[in-house]
Amino acid sequence: MGGFDFDVIERSVGYLFREGMTFTLTLTGMAALGGIVFGTLLAMMRLSSFRVLAIVATGYVNLMRSIPLLLVIFWFYFLVPYIGAWMTGSSQPIQVGAFASSVITFTMFEAAYYSEIMRAGIQSIPRGQVSAGYALGLDYWQTMGRIVLPQAFRNMIPILLTQTIILFQDTSLVYVLSITDFLGAASKIAQRDGRLVEMYLFAALVYFVISFSLSVVVKRLQQKIAIVR
Amino acid sequence: MPMIEIRDVSKWYGSFQVLKDCTTNVEKGEVIVVCGPSGSGKSTLIKTVNALEPFQKGNIVVDGIVVNDPKTDLPKLRARVGMVFQHFELFPHLSVTENLTLAQIKVLNRTPDEARVRGLKYLDRVGLMEQKDKYPGQLSGGQQQRVAIARALSMDPICMLFDEPTSALDPEMINEVLDVMVLLAKEGMTMMVVTHEMGFARKVAHRVIFMDEGQIVEDATKDDFFGKPRSERAQQFLAKILHH
């Protein structure tokens, strides 16, 4: 181990977490929140009796699930400025910035996966619950918001969290946009100090510890929250 | 004017006809029992009354409002028609009190306090006051169904629909639910009840409707129905469920 210098970690750990991990967690949090909200809407569209809505949502989900995430990141990064320009009628591409672009990308991409989870969750609620809501005079949105979604969401929390752990790892792909997320920060130090092995080992360890601890929490949770019927 | 008027109602699932020109009336204060073999369309028929089941032909008028008119405000109509389901369908993530108050607050715009007072009044009526803070999963089937009845009653319905309210219950719990229903019938509530409980029919029904293969085969007063049913199918059905 003589050739290795693990002191580089101690010297850079403040920067790694302050800059890098903060970004990674912010992106994960925002994309998870946005993805679950958007994904739930997609799931409701797919299960809707309006054929057009169902077809649009199904097409979207299939598209997102059939393209590599890395490509989607590229596409959004290069396309969003033009779409923004087109929507606002501007002649110049709109500057979106790497952060906004990555939040949008991950929200849109993860929504496809969250929507599959929420769809299963909604379908796991007996039809009779919907009938009971309607029979009491609740409308579609009230029945969804007060009766179906709270139960579906609760049933699906473990799987939603598992998907979020995957999202947490996937956010490291934003390094292709030269963003300083946790891996990006580690990578910068690694190259500056010529300590690739040490830094990438450390980065892997950090991702492992966080992801693995979370999945243990999820397992515990799973046993606790099943709704008593 | 009858409270519920069902005229020539037909319904198809694809090419399969589940309801065939069903016609009947329920007068205000009347208790109607609908019976028949399983698959005869009785549950489907009762669910057309509050438009939980759409139908392709015919008309249903509830208190002067045409159910199948696209312009009808269905949530508003349904809020006035109480319904009790075979599997109770209490909301398992809400407490008993929340089950009783949710629709009162959201649909009738009552204040939470008003809704609580009203809900608990009916909970007391079905004898379950001490369960008000529990969750449905902590109650027995019979208790859950009584809460479901209280939930429907707290909306001040003009009539009540019961879709096999006791057929998912253990035998020892059937009577506690029937007792509540008998009480309700004696108070003059307009009721349409799909059930095989012929004891209940004998006790409080004014008329009995017998259905088979999507058709109303017999629509008779209670005495006529139990005394001398005209159709052979109704006689066979009665013989099968009454012989013990």
Side-chain angles (χ1 to χ4, degrees):
Chain A
M1 299 289 276
F4 293 133
D5 168 23
F6 284 96
D7 287 347
V8 66
I9 295 167
E10 211 186 311
R11 287 198 304 273
S12 61
V13 74
Y15 165 75
L16 286 180
F17 279 89
R18 218 170 32 246
E19 296 278 316
M21 191 49 86
T22 307
F23 180 92
T24 295
L25 290 179
T26 312
L27 177 57
T28 305
M30 290 177 83
L33 197 70
I36 289 174
V37 171
F38 187 35
T40 303
L41 286 172
L42 279 173
M44 286 163 68
M45 285 169 71
R46 286 193 77 170
L47 296 171
S48 137
S49 47
F50 295 105
R51 284 287 299 275
V52 181
L53 285 183
I55 290 169
V56 169
T58 307
Y60 178 86
V61 170
N62 286 337
L63 180 70
M64 284 298 165
R65 302 214 308 167
S66 312
I67 304 178
L69 176 53
L70 199 53
L71 255 182
V72 180
I73 293 173
F74 274 133
W75 272 111
F76 269 97
Y77 188 59
F78 295 118
L79 265 185
V80 164
Y82 290 98
I83 296 173
W86 173 71
M87 286 203 314
T88 57
S90 157
S91 57
Q92 292 288 315
I94 303 276
Q95 287 305 316
V96 182
F99 176 67
S101 173
S102 55
V103 170
I104 295 172
T105 308
F106 277 92
T107 298
M108 307 278 277
F109 189 81
E110 291 299 321
Y113 288 86
Y114 284 123
S115 89
E116 287 296 272
I117 298 170
M118 285 312 289
R119 185 166 71 121
I122 293 170
Q123 283 177 321
S124 74
I125 308 304
R127 249 326 277 173
Q129 289 281 300
V130 178
S131 298
Y134 285 162
L136 284 165
L138 300 172
D139 61 26
Y140 172 79
W141 292 101
Q142 290 169 329
T143 304
M144 273 317 224
R146 297 280 163 173
I147 295 162
V148 178
L149 290 180
Q151 294 183 63
F153 196 76
R154 198 161 147 184
N155 289 348
M156 291 295 136
I157 280 177
I159 309 177
L160 289 170
L161 282 177
T162 303
Q163 182 63 35
T164 306
I165 296 171
I166 297 171
L167 166 64
F168 167 70
Q169 293 162 28
D170 283 354
T171 55
S172 61
L173 284 173
V174 296
Y175 87 95
V176 296
L177 304 181
S178 312
I179 287 176
T180 315
D181 73 321
F182 184 73
L183 183 59
S187 177
K188 269 183 194 164
I189 303 285
Q191 280 164 29
R192 187 195 66 191
D193 295 1
R195 292 293 167 191
L196 295 171
V197 177
E198 295 88 334
M199 289 311 285
Y200 286 143
L201 261 179
F202 178 66
L205 182 73
V206 170
Y207 276 107
F208 173 80
V209 168
I210 294 178
S211 301
F212 185 71
S213 329
L214 277 175
S215 65
V216 171
V217 171
V218 170
K219 219 168 248 163
R220 293 256 170 86
L221 210 64
Q222 215 154 13
Q223 293 152 359
K224 263 180 129 174
I225 60 157
I227 297 185
V228 194
R229 276 201 177 274
Chain B
M1 187 180 67
M3 180 68 84
I4 302 170
E5 195 179 345
I6 299 172
R7 206 183 313 125
D8 296 325
V9 169
S10 291
K11 178 184 171 73
W12 287 263
Y13 285 122
S15 61
F16 178 68
Q17 192 168 4
V18 280
L19 293 178
K20 296 173 188 160
D21 295 317
C22 295
T23 298
T24 191
N25 286 338
V26 184
E27 300 295 332
K28 191 169 186 306
E30 214 177 7
V31 177
I32 306 287
V33 162
V34 184
C35 61
S38 58
S40 60
K42 50 198 191 310
S43 281
T44 310
L45 180 69
I46 201 173
K47 283 181 180 157
T48 59
V49 174
N50 62 352
L52 284 182
E53 289 279 0
F55 51 94
Q56 285 80 28
K57 207 178 127 270
N59 267 309
I60 295 183
V61 184
V62 176
D63 196 33
I65 297 161
V66 182
V67 174
N68 47 303
D69 184 344
K71 289 196 286 287
T72 296
D73 184 347
L74 282 182
K76 204 172 151 194
L77 174 77
R78 286 166 175 153
R80 302 174 65 212
V81 178
M83 184 155 209
V84 174
F85 296 86
Q86 181 177 4
H87 296 288
F88 333 133
E89 304 302 349
L90 293 179
F91 307 129
H93 59 302
L94 302 177
S95 72
V96 166
T97 304
E98 287 165 335
N99 265 280
L100 294 166
T101 55
L102 175 67
Q104 291 189 66
I105 297 168
K106 293 289 153 199
V107 181
L108 303 180
N109 295 318
R110 289 182 182 154
T111 66
D113 280 341
E114 255 180 294
R116 228 181 111 78
V117 170
R118 174 85 48 160
L120 293 182
K121 183 183 112 187
Y122 286 106
L123 191 63
D124 193 31
R125 181 92 68 88
V126 300
L128 292 171
M129 197 51 151
E130 66 281 14
Q131 316 290 348
K132 65 180 164 59
D133 297 319
K134 290 199 177 155
Y135 281 81
Q138 297 169 291
L139 305 180
S140 73
Q143 290 173 326
Q144 287 192 50
Q145 194 62 299
R146 281 146 70 196
V147 172
I149 294 173
R151 178 175 72 178
L153 290 176
S154 24
M155 300 292 287
D156 298 324
I158 52 171
C159 60
M160 289 279 288
L161 309 172
F162 292 83
D163 183 14
E164 305 205 31
T166 57
S167 54
L169 294 174
D170 290 336
E172 76 269 24
M173 294 171 184
I174 290 177
N175 278 333
E176 61 187 79
V177 172
L178 288 180
D179 287 347
V180 171
M181 291 168 61
V182 167
L183 214 65
L184 205 55
K186 288 190 171 155
E187 285 171 9
M189 176 61 81
T190 310
M191 293 163 71
M192 195 168 169
V193 185
V194 173
T195 186
H196 289 148
E197 296 295 335
M198 288 302 127
F200 172 80
R202 279 219 164 103
K203 208 181 279 179
V204 294
H206 298 103
R207 273 178 26 235
V208 179
I209 289 173
F210 175 75
M211 288 186 73
D212 193 22
E213 293 178 350
Q215 267 173 320
I216 294 182
V217 179
E218 187 125 0
D219 185 344
T221 64
K222 171 179 61 179
D223 294 338
D224 282 352
F225 184 77
F226 288 112
K228 42 174 176 25
R230 279 159 291 179
S231 73
E232 202 172 307
R233 275 180 290 182
Q235 288 170 15
Q236 285 167 355
F237 177 76
L238 273 181
K240 268 185 203 144
I241 62 170
L242 288 181
H243 70 115
H244 47 185

